[in-house]
Amino acid sequence: MSTRDVLMVADLVGVAVFAASGGSAAVAKRFDVFGVVFVGFVAALGGGVLRDLFIDVVPPVAFADWRYSVTAAVASLLVFRFHPQLVKLRRSVLLLDAAGLGLFTAASTLKALEAGVPAVGSCIIGMITGIGGGLARDILTGEIPVVLRREIYAVAALLGAIAVAVGFQIPVPDTPLMLASAVFICTVRVVALRRRWDAPVARPDPGA
Amino acid sequence: MSTRDVLMVADLVGVAVFAASGGSAAVAKRFDVFGVVFVGFVAALGGGVLRDLFIDVVPPVAFADWRYSVTAAVASLLVFRFHPQLVKLRRSVLLLDAAGLGLFTAASTLKALEAGVPAVGSCIIGMITGIGGGLARDILTGEIPVVLRREIYAVAALLGAIAVAVGFQIPVPDTPLMLASAVFICTVRVVALRRRWDAPVARPDPGA
Amino acid sequence: MSTRDVLMVADLVGVAVFAASGGSAAVAKRFDVFGVVFVGFVAALGGGVLRDLFIDVVPPVAFADWRYSVTAAVASLLVFRFHPQLVKLRRSVLLLDAAGLGLFTAASTLKALEAGVPAVGSCIIGMITGIGGGLARDILTGEIPVVLRREIYAVAALLGAIAVAVGFQIPVPDTPLMLASAVFICTVRVVALRRRWDAPVARPDPGA
């Protein structure tokens, strides 16, 4: 299996995991089967579509390559069908979600850098790709985005994106750079979950 | 009147109908006159703008051709002015909304196929165009999107988009293909409304 | 200092002001430090990113020029750190916000016209750029967008955008045209705030 194949498999695993997170949120809101697939689809592919618009990959790969949408649809349907059993899998899902965050952020930062976007912009595009799907999922289901509330999530993505941008200047070869950054993001996220790390919160002004 | 004119008239009727749906939702939320026009505008043109970004039609036709925005603005203003009387028209509006869903989905799927997007991606783009405006309307007015809840709506659009993609391969001439698919989507939607068809809903896990 | 420098400084002031408005909204919702920066970032740069996608400036300038994102991040962090004192500055913030609305709308309308977008579409793009950031801020923080409720805000932007489009046809030289329109928008907005002008609201149908 070539490096390219490894990356493709990793990408589709990320799509499946994010689709499952979106599908679960939609089931909990009692959406119908199509709503569950739709939210799963947006959670899995929304960030990547935005990224492709930003770096002028048109049509976005999520529409150009059928494997992306089929993977997202199948994962969402499995969640719809087998949801009751999924609670027991919650821990695995959180782990896989962290893996997806890492892979999406690292791969997208690299794609943006290779498309000629400057370093700061590439980091932001990479982070948006990683967190964008969860953001869309929360907006569609009427929640204030969890990623913006009390957890180390986007911060982990941003740190990993910066690592990719720094390595890209040195330069470190692409594939190890991407995989190491993905593992780094995933590790920070998992450790933060276990230790219940939170980023600081401002005290709102009592007079506001 | 040429086929092209027929399509343009149909397109603008769809814009007007979707603008009216957005405007009504905004009036119900007591938005001011500009808010009503804005929500009507987004509901009427939002899906098409996304579609054009996906298939690299830049600037999007909603900005390049003034008839689109003027139609959306006029329809929204009429709703703002004559809203009380509109309740009596509710049945007509639901019918016209179904017609708009059919026309937008079918025409957009065809546009995407002709722009070289593969079949699966074209169906998804067509469906997004058809349902996107209503989605944006519900997000802007603070509702969980109705299209994702308990009705056969997006499913009708997706089935029609698949019909367009299949016919495009055979190939069937463009205009009859598009119109037949639009009528099909509209019919499925109207029958579903009359019979109160719903797509299945998962039982949320009691332990979740 | 050349005209170009003047415009760049004005642009970055607008970014800082909108970032501060987004950051304040996020602090009030008790988002963590990253959430505050993220909402500030989206409020400051979201409208401009959309505009650049519409007129085919890819990657959007917010990603291509690091000064935009750094300005947005610094302004958001300052709000996070010094929020309690900001209440006393509320009046200045409202003034600066009006200035940002004027500058963003006028400059973006001009950019769209120069990119060859027809007049009506350019006005709409300019208005979307001016109001888009505040819209995204309100959606991210779970509020119905204030800009769509009871204030003269988007109307001021639209009037100024129309002034730019008219002046562009005559033609008036670009820089004075843009600055005069920006001042006009800012003045309408400030006078509306002082006099509590509202656009009219429809009475919702009691039978609805």
Side-chain angles (χ1 to χ4, degrees):
Chain A
M1 200 154 95
S2 75
T3 306
R4 202 183 156 77
D5 292 340
V6 173
L7 289 178
M8 171 60 78
V9 169
D11 216 19
L12 292 178
V13 170
V15 166
V17 169
F18 277 127
S21 86
S24 300
V27 167
K29 290 275 175 173
R30 298 191 59 73
F31 286 4
D32 66 23
V33 60
F34 182 80
V36 170
V37 172
F38 189 83
V39 176
F41 192 88
V42 171
L45 305 177
V49 167
L50 266 184
R51 176 202 62 211
D52 289 347
L53 291 179
F54 293 158
I55 64 176
D56 214 11
V57 172
V58 176
V61 70
F63 302 134
D65 183 337
W66 61 270
R67 286 174 294 189
Y68 282 80
S69 42
V70 167
T71 301
V74 168
S76 305
L77 284 171
L78 288 176
V79 165
F80 181 78
R81 177 69 188 76
F82 298 109
H83 187 257
Q85 291 84 332
L86 273 184
V87 169
K88 295 168 199 158
L89 297 172
R90 175 169 291 187
R91 219 166 158 183
S92 320
V93 168
L94 278 177
L95 272 172
L96 285 169
D97 182 70
L101 179 71
L103 284 164
F104 272 16
T105 304
S108 297
T109 306
L110 199 55
K111 281 193 188 187
L113 287 164
E114 284 178 346
V117 179
V120 172
S122 293
C123 291
I124 295 167
I125 289 176
M127 190 193 66
I128 290 173
T129 309
I131 71 176
L135 200 62
R137 173 196 65 210
D138 292 341
I139 291 173
L140 282 178
T141 54
E143 302 287 336
I144 290 188
V146 171
V147 65
L148 297 181
R149 279 182 166 281
R150 304 285 310 271
E151 295 185 1
I152 299 283
Y153 189 85
V155 171
L158 188 58
L159 292 175
I162 292 170
V164 172
V166 170
F168 188 78
Q169 307 292 336
I170 294 181
V172 178
D174 282 3
T175 307
L177 171 61
M178 195 216 80
L179 290 176
S181 300
V183 168
F184 169 76
I185 294 170
C186 180
T187 306
V188 171
R189 172 67 184 143
V190 168
V191 171
L193 272 175
R194 294 212 158 198
R195 308 218 170 157
R196 299 181 181 281
W197 282 348
D198 283 328
V201 175
R203 270 166 308 167
D205 182 16
Chain B
M1 201 155 98
S2 75
T3 305
R4 204 184 155 77
D5 292 340
V6 173
L7 289 178
M8 171 58 79
V9 169
D11 216 19
L12 292 179
V13 170
V15 166
V17 169
F18 277 125
S21 86
S24 300
V27 167
K29 290 275 175 173
R30 298 191 61 72
F31 286 5
D32 66 22
V33 61
F34 181 80
V36 170
V37 172
F38 189 84
V39 176
F41 192 89
V42 171
L45 305 177
V49 167
L50 267 184
R51 175 201 62 210
D52 289 348
L53 292 179
F54 293 157
I55 64 175
D56 214 11
V57 173
V58 177
V61 69
F63 302 134
D65 182 338
W66 61 269
R67 285 174 294 189
Y68 282 80
S69 43
V70 167
T71 301
V74 168
S76 305
L77 284 171
L78 289 175
V79 166
F80 181 78
R81 177 69 187 74
F82 297 109
H83 187 259
Q85 291 84 334
L86 272 185
V87 170
K88 296 169 198 158
L89 297 173
R90 174 170 293 187
R91 217 166 158 184
S92 319
V93 168
L94 278 177
L95 272 171
L96 286 169
D97 181 70
L101 179 71
L103 285 163
F104 272 16
T105 304
S108 298
T109 306
L110 198 55
K111 282 194 189 186
L113 287 165
E114 283 177 348
V117 180
V120 173
S122 292
C123 290
I124 294 167
I125 289 175
M127 190 193 65
I128 290 173
T129 309
I131 71 176
L135 201 62
R137 173 196 66 210
D138 292 339
I139 291 173
L140 283 177
T141 55
E143 303 285 337
I144 291 187
V146 171
V147 66
L148 297 181
R149 278 182 167 280
R150 303 284 311 269
E151 296 186 1
I152 299 284
Y153 189 85
V155 171
L158 188 58
L159 292 176
I162 292 171
V164 172
V166 170
F168 188 78
Q169 306 293 337
I170 294 183
V172 178
D174 281 4
T175 307
L177 172 61
M178 195 217 80
L179 290 177
S181 300
V183 168
F184 169 75
I185 294 169
C186 180
T187 305
V188 171
R189 172 68 182 143
V190 168
V191 171
L193 271 176
R194 292 210 161 198
R195 308 218 169 157
R196 300 182 181 283
W197 283 347
D198 283 329
V201 175
R203 270 166 307 166
D205 182 17
Chain C
M1 200 154 97
S2 75
T3 305
R4 204 183 154 78
D5 292 341
V6 173
L7 289 178
M8 170 59 79
V9 170
D11 217 18
L12 291 179
V13 170
V15 165
V17 169
F18 277 125
S21 85
S24 301
V27 167
K29 291 274 174 173
R30 300 191 58 73
F31 286 4
D32 66 23
V33 61
F34 181 81
V36 170
V37 172
F38 188 84
V39 176
F41 193 88
V42 171
L45 305 177
V49 168
L50 265 184
R51 175 202 63 212
D52 289 347
L53 292 179
F54 293 157
I55 64 176
D56 215 9
V57 173
V58 176
V61 69
F63 302 133
D65 183 338
W66 62 269
R67 285 175 294 189
Y68 282 80
S69 43
V70 168
T71 301
V74 168
S76 305
L77 284 170
L78 288 175
V79 166
F80 181 79
R81 177 70 187 76
F82 297 109
H83 187 259
Q85 292 83 334
L86 272 184
V87 170
K88 295 167 199 158
L89 297 172
R90 175 169 293 189
R91 218 166 158 182
S92 319
V93 168
L94 278 177
L95 271 172
L96 285 169
D97 181 69
L101 179 72
L103 284 164
F104 271 15
T105 304
S108 297
T109 306
L110 199 55
K111 281 194 189 185
L113 287 164
E114 283 176 347
V117 180
V120 172
S122 292
C123 291
I124 295 168
I125 290 175
M127 189 193 67
I128 290 173
T129 308
I131 72 176
L135 201 60
R137 173 196 65 210
D138 292 340
I139 290 173
L140 282 177
T141 55
E143 302 286 336
I144 291 187
V146 171
V147 65
L148 298 181
R149 278 183 166 281
R150 303 286 310 271
E151 295 185 1
I152 300 285
Y153 190 85
V155 171
L158 187 58
L159 292 176
I162 292 171
V164 172
V166 170
F168 188 79
Q169 306 293 336
I170 293 181
V172 178
D174 282 3
T175 307
L177 172 61
M178 196 217 79
L179 290 177
S181 301
V183 169
F184 169 75
I185 294 170
C186 181
T187 305
V188 170
R189 171 68 183 144
V190 168
V191 171
L193 272 175
R194 294 211 158 198
R195 307 217 170 158
R196 300 181 183 281
W197 282 348
D198 282 330
V201 176
R203 272 166 306 166
D205 182 16

